Amino acid sequence: MKSIRKIDAIPKLNGSWKFLDDYSYEGMIHGQLLYSTCHHGFIRKVTFPEGYDLSEFTMVYAEDILGENIVPEPVCDQPYMADKEVFHFGQVIMGIAHPNRKLLREFISNTSIEYKELPAITDIKECLENEDNVFGRKLTIDHRTGKKPDPNWVHHHKIYYTPHQEQAYLEPQGMIAIWQPKDKIMFVRANCQCPFFVKEGVEAIMGNKIKEAVIETSEGIGGAFGGKEDFPSLLAGITSLLSYKSGKPVKIVLDRSDDIQITTKRHPARIEINSWTDPETKKIMKINIDYRLDTGAYQTLSPVVLARGVLHAISGYSIPSAFIRGRLFRSNTPSNGAFRGFGAPQGFAAMEAHIDKIAVDLKMNPYEFRKINIFKIGDEFPTTQPIIENNLSDCLERVIEKSDYLNKLKEFKEWNKSHKDKKGIGISIGYHGGGYTGNGEKILNSEVKVVIEKDAIVKIYVSNTDMGQGAHTTLAQMFFEAIDHPLEKCRVQLPNTSKTPNSGPTVASRTIYIIGNLLRKFALKIKDEFGFENLENFVTSNQNKFPHEFRMKFVQDPSVVFDDENYVGVAYKDYSWAACVTEIYFHADTYQIELTKSCSVMDIGKVVNQKIATGQAEGGILQGLAYGLCEFFYKPGYGRMHGFTDYALPTTMDIPEIDVEFIHTDSLIAKGLGEIPMDFPAPSIRNAFYNATGVFIDEYPLVPERILRNLNVNKHC
Amino acid sequence: MLDINCQYKSVEVSGKKEINMKFYKPKSLLELFETSEKIEGKKYFLAGGTDINVQIKNGMIKDEPIIFLNHLTELKNILQSDNHIIIGALTSFSEILESELLKNKLPFFQNSLKNFASPLIQTTATIGGNIANGSPTADIVPLLLILDAKLKLFSKSKLREVPISEFYLGYKKFILKRNEIIGAVLIPENAETGYETFYKKIGSRKALYIAKLAIAGLKKISNNKIEEIKLAVGSLNEYPRRLFKVEEYLKNKLVNEIDFADVEHFLQKEITPITDLRSDKEYRYRVCINLIRTFLNQ
């Protein structure tokens, strides 16, 4: 629980750590992407502006690709660059490089592309409502009992929509590629989450022209949130190709507006729920969930998002008969990708709202109704994975108590009678399975390396990146605290694919949960093998044994058995749990929701570093609240947002009082924390608004324009 | 005389494609007018630069000459003269927010600007720039409209004053003549004295946003009768506007006798809300009505 200062705090404050754009190499030139402004069509002609000496430019097209024109992804269907046909706005057509960055930007903005336009799907609802757009893998979780619904059961049918969300990392995407012809090595300095994904990306585009791609991250990575999981593979590929062709180091840093428009976003979703509730017992007896994601033009990693989506779609309720179907829908927009939560926030958005709707119709308060239906020991997930702890229920009970929910419910009801403005209070719950889904961690087969030097300095080698979330500090802490070694003797090495073993990508709330716990075990194992009490003393008196290199692999718990075909079994070994209560103030004149307080209780197991964990939780909760409240990326008739002037992130002024408490911290295991704060808070706003006004809104975000439209429909309120 | 040496070649590549932007930094007001007269065609006066710099970066301004104003300290001041508060056009928003004189004389005006942009932009952006930029959403203009502010316009040989309500002619169109600039803003010192005041700026969040709409109001009510009312709105027309017709209708009415159907009738003649990326027509209209109603009833 020690709040050790982040190892990157000082170098980031004094500016000594370099972010991608701070690196420069001799002879380096600048690259940019020329991308499609057409949603679907054939490329007829590319016209460059006059007055430029084309010999100064390096240009790469699809036909220059030396390997395969397919980005390695869970589903390999996305080309690095369009060949003759473009399938979405933002699809890369060329990489262009020039020594002068500003001139290059001018050149590209004045380059025109002529298309033969073809029909395109650009609207979210147009995509998700039409079954003709279904493609790729379909997932089904079938946990039906076969019993017919009792005619007395109360049926609810609702369709929920969630929008795109922009990761809004501080540092835009960027890459530097340096071709080293002598060794046939492509060295890439990467701003990414997953150096080994980037390595695959570069090796795929370069084919057998190179011996190896070596990826090293920049010292500082200014945020990622999933946005730097797969897009960097494409970017690194094209940057490498430019470096190969020009023979010079090439740097590409995306402009913010390009970054916002063409990189991956959270998948918009349409989730349709049919539920049947027994009015006597207040138990939900049967549920059907149809879960749809707008993937954009290509599948890429969407099937994996879909998997996590369907596995979290039922939220935390035990329902005897459940049928969940997940499908991907194609549109002519850039591929959507990873974003903190990874399919789970969409499911909670629907199910947590649905629960409040049923509760209100049954004339119960939403807490009482949740209490009856929430997971308890002995229940099971729709995949038949048994529920072995009551920690979700503990989170709910604690947050209800802490937020004084029941009293406020009464108090607000009374206050609202005599005021035009309204106060509301809403609950939501959520959870997140740690690590890769199902057998994923077994397949990943992560490895870590530790070197102990003669001066008892311990160097930790992992491929997991620290993108500001404090992973390297926390990982070091887990190793050192296990054997009581001083932190200042710690060095977490900069991830480099030729030096660090593949400990997997920095995704899926797995870094601390999988790699951190592995390092802790590893430290204890080294201690056991050498039989020391104090490592420093041991190294001093056994100098001949050092430096010493150790390697250790992750071994999945044998209880994790998952049938990937039928979606039956243990999808995740450990879940983090959470519950939240949010209070709002609704301004009747302006239809604005003001967040006044948000109280969350989370079980993430052992808290390694209280300060870092609290920061992660508060940041994620805010990102989650903003998802439900104000962030919108696409407006029908106006298209995608271009920058932060229009894409409304909350400012510090908009942040309510956020209260976070961790419970069950005496656990031995540090569970996943990265994503869960994003999963659960948003629905609490919608539920609070429903509580305040009696108006139920089926779509995020709850911007005032949408509220006004809904109030007009619900005139009685 | 002229300091045209600050000509700056932004890009130079093998002499094949040059992008030249000329920047001028006149040493005095007089020099400013001389410089300005010598430049034919389109040019930009750069005060705080919080908008023009963005336009340059985005390539929206490419070749036009830029004349710096911000160093001309003679236009940077807040003072009292006779019965007016005079704010120099180059006074920054943070200077306005920190002014003791404004705190004493025009506290409503000052407080209403706390929400302007962000502290960073407040230190740079100027009152003159906010007006002359001509944005329909300019934050300061609805306030100046209800305070019956006048603009002092400077040219080489002439000074003239115009009420701010007559300054705008259309979207980014002004009554400014060629080589004429806004020199100062004049606000009657008692412009808000004795009035009940109202200001709301509505956006997508609480700070650092462009207004979806803004509304400013002053009223004097005695014995339930509206003796005086001044209303102005931003982001609802091609430029911020006084709602003279609505005011005329409301004046001398008893508050409880106001027919809001009539208010809407007159309002519709004075505002033309649009749907855009930021908000919707219906929303802008409905919120405007709601806020007027709240202001009259409060």
Side-chain angles (χ1 to χ4, degrees):
Chain A
M1 292 280 272
K2 272 191 212 159
S3 292
I4 288 166
R5 182 162 68 197
K6 285 163 84 172
I7 49 179
D8 49 334
I10 300 265
K12 277 181 181 166
L13 278 173
N14 68 20
S16 60
W17 260 27
K18 287 180 178 171
F19 289 83
L20 199 279
D21 210 3
D22 298 325
Y23 288 88
S24 194
Y25 296 90
E26 205 186 333
M28 187 177 80
I29 60 173
H30 298 274
Q32 276 297 331
L33 305 175
L34 176 72
Y35 58 81
S36 165
T37 48
C38 163
H39 293 287
H40 185 200
F42 289 106
I43 306 166
R44 275 204 168 137
K45 199 174 153 193
V46 178
T47 312
F48 298 120
E50 286 180 5
Y52 295 87
D53 181 353
L54 292 184
S55 70
E56 291 171 351
F57 293 83
T58 305
M59 302 187 183
V60 293
Y61 306 79
E63 62 196 38
D64 290 312
I65 290 174
L66 302 160
E68 259 198 283
N69 189 11
I70 293 285
V71 185
E73 295 261 15
V75 173
C76 297
D77 64 345
Q78 173 172 241
Y80 288 91
M81 288 183 273
D83 193 358
K84 293 185 180 68
E85 190 174 358
V86 291
F87 289 91
H88 64 84
F89 169 91
Q91 183 158 20
V92 180
I93 296 171
M94 290 174 70
I96 307 180
H98 189 276
N100 187 306
R101 199 167 175 167
K102 196 172 174 200
L103 181 135
L104 175 66
R105 196 186 294 152
E106 279 256 339
F107 178 79
I108 290 185
S109 66
N110 290 316
T111 296
S112 63
I113 308 167
E114 209 178 289
Y115 306 92
K116 178 178 187 279
E117 296 221 18
L118 297 168
I121 301 153
T122 57
D123 183 77
I124 296 170
K125 285 191 180 167
E126 190 190 347
C127 163
L128 289 170
E129 292 296 344
N130 187 348
E131 306 243 351
D132 292 346
N133 300 330
V134 174
F135 76 141
R137 188 169 179 197
K138 299 174 190 62
L139 297 176
T140 308
I141 303 177
D142 192 349
H143 192 268
R144 285 176 290 192
T145 54
K147 269 196 207 163
K148 280 195 175 165
D150 184 300
N152 291 327
W153 293 352
V154 184
H155 176 219
H156 282 89
H157 172 233
K158 283 266 166 203
I159 300 171
Y160 303 89
Y161 299 90
T162 62
H164 288 102
Q165 191 180 14
E166 157 64 30
Q167 291 90 351
Y169 27 70
L170 277 172
E171 185 193 13
Q173 304 258 5
M175 286 290 158
I176 300 172
I178 305 170
W179 170 232
Q180 297 167 354
K182 213 175 90 205
D183 308 317
K184 290 179 86 177
I185 282 176
M186 185 65 75
F187 174 80
V188 175
R189 173 78 61 194
N191 173 4
C192 70
Q193 291 174 238
C194 317
F196 279 90
F197 286 5
V198 174
K199 181 178 162 74
E200 280 179 47
V202 174
E203 288 173 355
I205 199 171
M206 298 306 301
N208 56 15
K209 293 290 175 190
I210 63 169
K211 199 175 92 199
E212 195 194 351
V214 173
I215 317 300
E216 184 167 288
T217 68
S218 43
E219 284 175 320
I221 296 173
F225 307 108
K228 293 171 185 171
E229 174 169 346
D230 70 336
F231 188 83
S233 302
L234 183 148
L235 188 61
I238 296 171
T239 316
S240 298
L241 207 55
L242 281 168
S243 177
Y244 180 82
K245 199 167 173 185
S246 66
K248 291 172 181 159
V250 176
K251 181 201 275 184
I252 298 188
V253 174
L254 295 191
D255 271 0
R256 179 64 76 177
S257 103
D258 288 343
D259 193 310
I260 287 187
Q261 290 185 82
I262 72 167
T263 64
T264 57
K265 307 284 161 263
R266 186 184 304 290
H267 295 74
R270 174 197 186 275
I271 296 168
E272 183 170 1
I273 302 182
N274 276 286
S275 67
W276 290 264
T277 311
D278 183 339
E280 295 301 314
T281 60
K282 321 288 186 196
K283 280 280 295 174
I284 307 170
M285 300 306 291
K286 180 179 160 75
I287 196 160
N288 283 341
I289 301 176
D290 181 47
Y291 181 106
R292 304 177 180 186
L293 293 178
D294 172 354
T295 63
Y298 300 102
Q299 288 190 60
T300 64
L301 51 66
S302 295
V304 193
V305 178
L306 185 73
R308 194 174 278 275
V310 296
L311 287 166
H312 289 72
I314 202 161
S315 187
Y317 308 103
S318 172
I319 302 170
S321 179
F323 181 79
I324 303 163
R325 176 175 65 166
R327 289 175 299 167
L328 303 174
F329 284 62
R330 187 205 299 265
S331 67
N332 296 98
T333 59
S335 303
N336 293 308
F339 192 159
R340 198 178 202 176
F342 212 72
Q346 291 94 322
F348 291 121
M351 193 59 189
E352 283 303 296
H354 199 75
I355 289 290
D356 269 43
K357 182 81 189 123
I358 304 173
V360 168
D361 288 352
L362 294 181
K363 305 212 175 338
M364 294 181 76
N365 84 46
Y367 159 63
E368 295 292 341
F369 185 65
R370 278 185 174 77
K371 201 174 157 173
I372 291 168
N373 288 280
I374 202 165
F375 285 154
K376 290 171 201 78
I377 291 175
D379 293 338
E380 57 184 30
F381 283 94
T383 59
T384 71
Q385 176 172 1
I387 305 289
I388 52 166
E389 58 194 12
N390 286 331
N391 297 13
L392 178 59
S393 174
D394 294 344
C395 288
L396 177 65
E397 294 301 331
R398 177 69 187 131
V399 82
I400 292 296
E401 181 194 339
K402 229 186 136 158
S403 63
D404 200 18
Y405 174 80
L406 292 169
N407 284 328
K408 284 196 173 150
L409 204 58
K410 284 186 210 143
E411 194 187 297
F412 289 179
K413 197 174 173 186
E414 209 42 48
W415 192 90
N416 289 345
K417 282 180 189 164
S418 54
H419 292 82
K420 184 170 76 170
D421 290 351
K422 304 289 172 207
K423 290 182 182 179
I425 187 162
I427 309 173
S428 57
I429 63 169
Y431 53 86
H432 204 93
Y436 263 31
T437 301
N439 306 311
E441 290 295 341
K442 259 182 234 167
I443 297 163
L444 268 182
N445 200 17
S446 296
E447 188 180 30
V448 295
K449 180 174 104 179
V450 166
V451 174
I452 302 178
E453 303 283 0
K454 277 187 180 310
D455 51 2
I457 294 269
V458 176
K459 291 181 180 166
I460 297 173
Y461 293 81
V462 291
S463 62
N464 309 93
T465 59
D466 192 325
M467 40 208 158
Q469 87 279 41
H472 285 182
T473 306
T474 316
L475 287 175
Q477 203 176 338
M478 291 181 85
F479 187 91
F480 284 95
E481 283 186 353
I483 54 169
D484 207 12
H485 194 61
L487 179 77
E488 55 277 11
K489 295 251 170 189
C490 132
R491 305 278 187 275
V492 180
Q493 302 301 299
L494 202 58
N496 175 314
T497 55
S498 68
K499 295 173 188 159
T500 40
N502 190 350
S503 54
T506 321
V507 302
S509 305
R510 65 183 295 279
T511 304
I512 300 308
Y513 171 59
I514 301 286
I515 305 306
N517 288 318
L518 175 62
L519 281 169
R520 189 177 62 87
K521 267 189 215 159
F522 193 12
L524 293 172
K525 188 171 167 241
I526 294 171
K527 187 179 176 179
D528 242 27
E529 275 175 18
F530 279 138
F532 61 78
E533 273 308 309
N534 177 302
L535 179 61
E536 270 185 294
N537 294 345
F538 181 77
V539 174
T540 314
S541 47
N542 293 277
Q543 282 281 303
N544 60 328
K545 289 195 168 82
F546 297 93
H548 199 295
E549 179 184 313
F550 307 82
R551 281 171 183 264
M552 189 176 185
K553 281 197 168 189
F554 174 76
V555 181
Q556 181 60 286
D557 187 288
S559 71
V560 180
V561 179
F562 189 70
D563 174 351
D564 274 323
E565 279 305 306
N566 301 304
Y567 268 57
V568 174
V570 176
Y572 307 94
K573 180 170 180 295
D574 293 293
Y575 290 83
S576 297
W577 311 98
C580 170
V581 169
T582 300
E583 295 170 32
I584 64 151
Y585 185 96
F586 175 62
H587 295 267
D589 276 346
T590 59
Y591 314 102
Q592 287 168 310
I593 292 175
E594 183 177 351
L595 305 178
T596 49
K597 189 171 180 184
S598 191
C599 193
S600 294
V601 173
M602 303 166 68
D603 162 29
I604 56 162
K606 178 185 164 75
V607 177
V608 181
N609 186 315
Q610 182 76 35
K611 196 174 263 178
I612 289 178
T614 307
Q616 275 286 87
E618 288 178 356
I621 287 166
L622 182 64
Q623 207 166 27
L625 291 170
Y627 175 52
L629 185 66
C630 59
E631 291 184 21
F632 73 94
F633 181 72
Y634 164 83
K635 179 166 178 170
Y638 295 86
R640 295 158 83 86
M641 300 297 141
H642 291 65
F644 292 138
T645 310
D646 302 314
Y647 187 76
L649 295 165
T651 66
T652 47
M653 300 283 290
D654 300 279
I655 301 176
E657 181 188 342
I658 293 177
D659 182 335
V660 179
E661 182 181 328
F662 299 112
I663 59 168
H664 293 301
T665 55
D666 54 352
S667 161
L668 281 179
I669 298 285
K671 299 192 287 189
L673 164 61
E675 290 165 280
I676 185 167
M678 172 72 230
D679 290 347
F680 65 83
S684 66
I685 303 175
R686 168 155 52 196
N687 292 341
F689 179 73
Y690 187 31
N691 168 248
T693 62
V695 175
F696 187 79
I697 298 183
D698 59 13
E699 196 169 351
Y700 285 167
L702 274 79
V703 291
E705 288 81 0
R706 173 165 288 136
I707 290 176
L708 173 62
R709 282 197 295 275
N710 278 273
L711 289 173
N712 284 341
V713 175
N714 298 263
K715 274 276 159 50
H716 61 278
C717 303
Chain B
M1 267 285 271
L2 294 186
D3 181 13
I4 309 191
N5 301 326
C6 339
Q7 191 183 116
Y8 160 69
K9 279 187 186 173
S10 55
V11 170
E12 224 179 315
V13 184
S14 327
K16 275 152 202 131
K17 171 78 186 176
E18 283 193 11
I19 305 161
N20 281 317
M21 269 187 92
K22 285 182 180 164
F23 293 87
Y24 300 89
K25 193 176 176 186
K27 292 197 180 83
S28 64
L29 265 181
L30 181 66
E31 213 182 278
L32 162 70
F33 292 119
E34 283 170 354
T35 307
S36 158
E37 275 174 12
K38 284 185 186 163
I39 302 170
E40 287 175 11
K42 201 171 177 184
K43 58 188 172 256
Y44 287 88
F45 293 101
L46 189 143
T50 52
D51 207 49
I52 287 184
N53 285 333
V54 177
Q55 292 180 41
I56 294 173
K57 190 196 163 212
N58 290 342
M60 291 149 80
I61 300 174
K62 280 181 190 160
D63 306 316
E64 294 87 355
I66 305 276
I67 305 173
F68 288 113
L69 302 178
N70 214 10
H71 57 289
L72 299 172
T73 47
E74 54 264 59
L75 297 183
K76 207 186 234 314
N77 210 348
I78 304 172
L79 47 92
Q80 180 155 15
S81 166
D82 299 328
N83 48 3
H84 278 87
I85 306 293
I86 302 175
I87 305 174
L90 295 173
T91 308
S92 72
F93 279 81
S94 56
E95 285 159 343
I96 291 174
L97 287 166
E98 285 158 14
S99 161
E100 281 298 315
L101 183 61
L102 290 175
K103 191 176 166 189
N104 293 327
K105 298 286 183 181
L106 300 168
F108 160 69
F109 172 68
Q110 189 182 48
N111 283 331
S112 301
L113 293 173
K114 280 187 179 157
N115 238 358
F116 178 84
S118 69
L120 276 174
I121 294 171
Q122 283 169 6
T123 59
T124 316
T126 65
I127 181 169
N130 198 238
I131 299 167
N133 188 37
S135 165
T137 70
D139 282 351
I140 208 161
V141 183
L143 291 163
L144 295 177
L145 281 164
I146 59 163
L147 296 171
D148 291 322
K150 286 180 193 159
L151 301 180
K152 203 161 205 165
L153 307 180
F154 292 14
S155 57
K156 194 178 170 190
S157 53
K158 205 174 157 189
L159 279 181
R160 58 172 180 145
E161 281 179 16
V162 292
I164 190 160
S165 57
E166 292 169 18
F167 180 73
Y168 296 98
L169 301 174
Y171 179 69
K172 301 233 173 203
K173 287 198 179 117
F174 322 103
I175 59 154
L176 279 175
K177 297 197 173 113
R178 195 164 171 78
N179 300 321
E180 191 175 39
I181 62 162
I182 300 170
V185 178
L186 277 63
I187 306 173
E189 66 166 327
N190 57 0
E192 58 183 64
T193 318
Y195 286 95
E196 288 177 65
T197 59
F198 186 80
Y199 179 68
K200 285 266 184 203
K201 177 186 168 190
I202 309 302
S204 53
R205 57 188 173 204
K206 286 187 186 169
L208 199 57
Y209 61 94
I210 296 170
K212 291 174 181 175
L213 77 151
I215 178 161
L218 294 178
K219 67 173 182 183
K220 267 185 194 163
I221 295 183
S222 78
N223 297 327
N224 206 28
K225 195 174 104 178
I226 302 173
E227 297 202 324
E228 274 194 70
I229 177 105
K230 294 173 186 181
L231 294 167
V233 292
S235 308
L236 294 174
N237 291 303
E238 288 176 323
Y239 52 89
R241 244 169 103 157
R242 266 289 279 273
L243 303 176
F244 288 117
K245 290 193 174 115
V246 177
E247 289 176 12
E248 200 183 326
Y249 166 76
L250 290 169
K251 205 170 171 187
N252 295 323
K253 288 250 172 356
L254 293 175
V255 173
N256 52 356
E257 281 178 355
I258 298 168
D259 183 345
F260 273 87
D262 288 342
V263 176
E264 288 200 37
H265 170 76
F266 287 109
L267 188 65
Q268 279 165 5
K269 293 185 176 191
E270 294 195 292
I271 64 170
T272 48
I274 57 160
T275 294
D276 61 11
L277 197 63
R278 244 163 249 141
S279 190
D280 298 343
K281 190 162 93 177
E282 300 74 22
Y283 176 77
R284 290 183 156 118
Y285 179 74
R286 189 48 51 199
V287 172
C288 182
I289 282 284
N290 290 348
L291 291 174
I292 291 175
R293 186 193 296 257
T294 293
F295 176 46
L296 292 173
N297 289 330
Q298 82 184 6

